[in-house]
């Protein structure tokens, strides 16, 4: 076995060379991408933090009633958000929401078109599938290192790590929804003279909408699960007090932050489930 370990394939060195090459030759691209992503996060933060917390809570409560028409859920949303304010984690919650919403925008903006393209081209999905598997199974800390080198500390590397982890969900579910469209529906559309673009917009996307919506829900939940990981690279939000509670073995603070994260997760999950509306 010694001969096998002595002739080690330099995978790590190859990866380092790639990152070094990107740092030297594509710094302008990553700098521009960082500025754009940071501007999007700042815009979302401005929307969430400029109004008084009670105004934003009232708006979210009204949205909950409009989407669900459920008195119980509406009361839960108002009580949950007021409890977060009471515990003193409102600012951190809005920062986490900004990261989650930015991640959802990026993931759906890239994932849905990629899922459609993969559904139309089976060979493309065959190439994408191992990459998607790798993105969801490789330890997050592995690609945090190049993200730090390319984007520095802050919200942007946390967003990049979150997108890498969450984007396979909308790609897979969009591909599933489009590729499972019944052939009789497609044949009926073709019989009426529909073009491929019209079939996509009038037949395939409406049929795949439940799966696409499920992809959005999964993206939000996966993004929310990354708040602690994002805090390790300097991203603000609920992950910061979580790490402090862990470092200090502070059970009280850990329970408070954990409860805030759970409340946000439940509220976002129920708000996205429009199919449950009666």
């Amino acid at each position: 076995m010694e001969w096998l370990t002595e002739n080690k394939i330099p995978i790590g060195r190859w990866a380092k060379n790639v990152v070094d090459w990107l740092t030297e030759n594509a710094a302008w691209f990553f700098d521009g991408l960082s500025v754009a992503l940071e501007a999007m996060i700042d815009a979302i933060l401005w929307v969430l933090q400029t109004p008084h917390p009670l105004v934003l809570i009232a708006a979210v409560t009204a949205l909950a009633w409009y989407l669900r028409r459920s008195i119980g859920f509406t009361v839960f949303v108002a009580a949950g958000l007021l409890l977060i304010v009471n515990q003193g984690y409102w600012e951190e919650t809005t920062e986490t929401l900004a990261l989650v919403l930015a991640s959802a925008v990026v993931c759906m903006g890239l994932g849905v078109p990629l899922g459609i393209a993969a559904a139309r081209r089976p060979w493309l999905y065959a190439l994408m599938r191992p990459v998607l598997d790798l993105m969801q199974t490789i330890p997050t800390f592995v690609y945090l290192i190049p993200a730090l080198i390319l984007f520095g500390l802050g919200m942007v590397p946390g967003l990049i790590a979150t997108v890498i982890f969450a984007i396979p969900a909308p790609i897979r579910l969009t591909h599933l929804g489009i590729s499972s469209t019944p052939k009789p529906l497609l044949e009926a559309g073709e019989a009426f003279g529909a073009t491929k673009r019209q079939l996509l917009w009038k037949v395939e996307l409406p049929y795949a909408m439940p799966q696409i919506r499920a992809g959005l829900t999964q993206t939000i939940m996966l993004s929310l699960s990354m708040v602690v990981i994002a805090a390790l690279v300097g991203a603000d939000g609920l992950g910061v007090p979580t790490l402090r509670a862990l470092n200090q073995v502070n059970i009280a603070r850990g329970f408070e932050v954990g409860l805030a994260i759970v409340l946000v997760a439940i509220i976002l999950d129920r708000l996205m489930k429009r199919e449950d509306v009666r």
Side-chain angles (χ1 to χ4, degrees):
M1 293 297 292
E2 293 183 359
W3 66 269
L4 187 59
T5 57
E6 289 175 355
N7 296 277
K8 178 180 177 181
I9 300 175
I11 296 177
R13 188 168 72 246
W14 293 343
K16 180 180 182 300
N17 291 337
V18 170
V19 174
D20 290 341
W21 185 88
L22 291 174
T23 304
E24 295 175 0
N25 298 277
W28 58 272
F29 170 77
F30 293 105
D31 290 342
L33 181 61
S34 179
V35 170
L37 293 177
E38 190 169 359
M40 179 174 61
I41 295 173
D42 289 342
I44 298 175
L45 276 175
W46 183 85
V47 172
L48 294 176
Q49 294 183 344
T50 300
H52 191 276
L54 294 180
V55 174
L56 189 59
I57 291 174
V60 176
T61 303
L63 178 63
W65 170 254
Y66 174 78
L67 294 178
R68 298 300 303 273
R69 292 295 194 271
S70 170
I71 296 178
F73 176 66
T74 303
V75 172
F76 173 80
V77 170
L81 295 178
L82 288 173
L83 180 60
I84 292 174
V85 174
N86 173 262
Q87 295 299 304
Y89 294 106
W90 180 253
E91 183 177 355
E92 290 84 354
T93 299
T94 57
E95 292 166 347
T96 293
L97 282 174
L99 183 62
V100 170
L101 293 177
S103 173
V105 170
V106 176
C107 287
M108 298 305 292
L110 296 176
V112 172
L114 287 174
I116 294 173
R120 293 289 184 86
R121 302 166 181 83
W123 62 267
L124 178 59
Y125 187 68
L127 293 177
M128 292 172 57
R129 185 162 49 189
V131 178
L132 298 177
D133 293 338
L134 182 67
M135 292 168 68
Q136 286 195 306
T137 55
I138 189 172
T140 311
F141 299 98
V142 173
Y143 50 77
L144 280 180
I145 300 172
L148 277 172
I149 295 173
L150 296 174
F151 296 99
L153 287 171
M155 295 286 277
V156 174
L159 175 60
I160 295 297
T162 303
V163 168
I164 294 175
F165 181 69
I167 198 172
I171 294 176
R172 292 182 189 276
L173 288 169
T174 301
H175 169 267
L176 175 63
I178 297 295
S179 60
S180 62
T181 305
K183 288 186 178 180
L185 285 179
L186 298 175
E187 292 173 354
E190 293 174 351
F192 282 98
T195 63
K196 289 185 177 181
R197 178 174 296 181
Q198 290 172 331
L199 284 175
L200 174 64
W201 287 99
K202 302 293 185 180
V203 179
E204 293 175 315
L205 282 178
Y207 184 84
M209 195 53 63
Q211 284 81 10
I212 295 175
R213 193 180 299 122
L216 174 59
T217 303
Q218 288 294 312
T219 298
I220 291 175
M221 293 299 103
L222 291 171
S223 300
L224 193 56
S225 70
M226 289 287 291
V227 293
V228 177
I229 302 298
L232 292 174
V233 291
D236 298 323
L238 291 171
V240 175
T242 302
L243 287 178
R244 289 175 180 169
L246 180 62
N247 292 331
Q248 300 170 0
V249 196
N250 190 327
I251 298 176
R253 173 177 287 186
F255 187 83
E256 292 170 357
V257 180
L259 180 60
I261 295 174
V262 169
L263 289 173
V264 172
I266 294 174
I267 291 171
L268 291 177
D269 180 65
R270 298 301 185 270
L271 285 176
M272 292 298 105
K273 290 186 176 179
R274 292 288 303 277
E275 67 272 16
D276 293 337
V277 178
R278 295 181 180 179

